[in-house]
Amino acid sequence: MKKITILLVLLITSGLSAQNMETYIYSIKGQDTLRLDVFTPKNIKKSDSLPVLLWMHGGGFSGSHRAFPNDQNLVKYAANEQNYIGVSISYRLLRKNTATGFGCDCTKDDKMETFKQAAIDYLDAAKFLVDRAKTLQIDPTKIIAGGSSAGAEGILNAVFMKDYFVTDKDAYNNVKFAGLFSCAGAVVDARYITAENTIPAVLYHGTDDKLVPYGTASHHFCDPKRDGYFVLDGSKIISEKLQEFETSYYFNSVKGGGHEVARIPIEEMDKIFNFFERTVINDEVVQTKIIKTAE
């Protein structure tokens, strides 16, 4: 299996030079200049209007970057192999160089503010693309929101909790998401997932994740007496909501898996994009749960 995985990665990365890439500033907030990299298929036609994978990297809201190899290879693959526009974004790392980090010493209020601002940064990146849809040759009705770990938390809150976090809702009237791809993510409150805002979802999560809960539990599994006690709803709860509202999902539950499941499953990209082809492009309803055992 490891040899097959390595071969797949080599095959994918060997063709990454086939895209064109442009970097744009999508927002300036205080001392943070936020950029995004747009990867376009080499053979795109002038008449094309393509679906988008809009990706938000992980790193605990304190580290990593949009050009980290795994994240960049994913959006390059989307452009090169799937004829998508692949976009990887930077966002404000509000827990970087803080005394309390993002664990159990970080207060609930600080965690909530971090989630809120990450969701807003993500919405601003999406708005930037939608406002330039014609120039960038994107289909604004076919944007897949994607992220891993902290990035997955950011995109899930942007998709499902926009009405909670955003005061100027008119600013994002034209921002719609057609699907989502979350690796080890959670939402602040799954009660905000409704029949009106559900979209087809790919979810990866380990049942024993000790940082981002698989079900309903405290972030980082902090004790209720700690400042950082903050309950989140993970992929299991999200999938149950999608099941309830008869919305498509592809849930990869890794029994005994920890937070390493946040790793981008590059070896399964064909299955993931096939799911989006069926549900987002062709409007099928597909509900699949895959149970794996951690190696």
Side-chain angles (χ1 to χ4, degrees), residues 117-190:
Q117 296 305 328
I120 289 173
D121 285 352
Y122 190 79
L123 289 167
D124 285 340
K127 183 178 186 300
F128 178 91
L129 297 179
V130 171
D131 289 346
R132 293 157 183 80
K134 186 173 182 180
T135 301
L136 297 176
Q137 293 187 256
I138 72 168
D139 182 344
T141 70
K142 298 294 188 293
I143 299 176
I144 306 299
S148 64
S149 191
E153 292 168 330
I155 69 107
L156 288 168
N157 287 318
V159 169
F160 294 126
M161 300 198 65
K162 181 174 68 173
D163 287 344
Y164 179 83
F165 284 131
V166 174
T167 53
D168 184 11
K169 296 178 177 58
D170 290 343
Y172 304 104
N173 278 343
N174 295 327
V175 174
K176 310 290 182 184
F177 298 106
L180 69 87
F181 175 18
S182 166
C183 298
V187 66
V188 165
D189 190 340

Side-chain angles (χ1 to χ4, degrees), residues 188-254:
V188 165
D189 190 340
R191 290 176 297 181
Y192 282 83
I193 301 175
T194 66
E196 288 70 33
N197 66 15
T198 53
I199 53 178
V202 172
L203 306 166
Y204 279 74
H205 217 134
T207 62
D208 292 353
D209 193 325
K210 301 304 182 186
L211 300 180
V212 181
Y214 172 80
T216 297
S218 176
H219 179 247
H220 283 231
F221 283 75
C222 300
D223 185 273
K225 296 179 181 179
R226 299 287 297 275
D227 290 340
Y229 180 75
F230 190 102
V231 175
L232 300 175
D233 294 317
S235 300
K236 177 179 181 290
I237 308 303
I238 295 169
S239 70
E240 290 172 351
K241 282 287 188 178
L242 299 177
Q243 178 81 32
E244 175 186 350
F245 294 123
E246 299 183 354
T247 301
S248 294
Y249 63 84
Y250 180 63
F251 181 24
N252 285 261
S253 174
V254 183

Side-chain angles (χ1 to χ4, degrees), residues 76-95:
K76 287 180 178 180
Y77 169 83
N80 189 53
E81 301 294 335
Q82 297 294 334
N83 207 40
Y84 273 57
I85 303 294
V87 184
S88 184
I89 74 165
S90 295
Y91 57 99
R92 287 171 293 168
L93 302 178
L94 295 182
R95 305 312 304 165

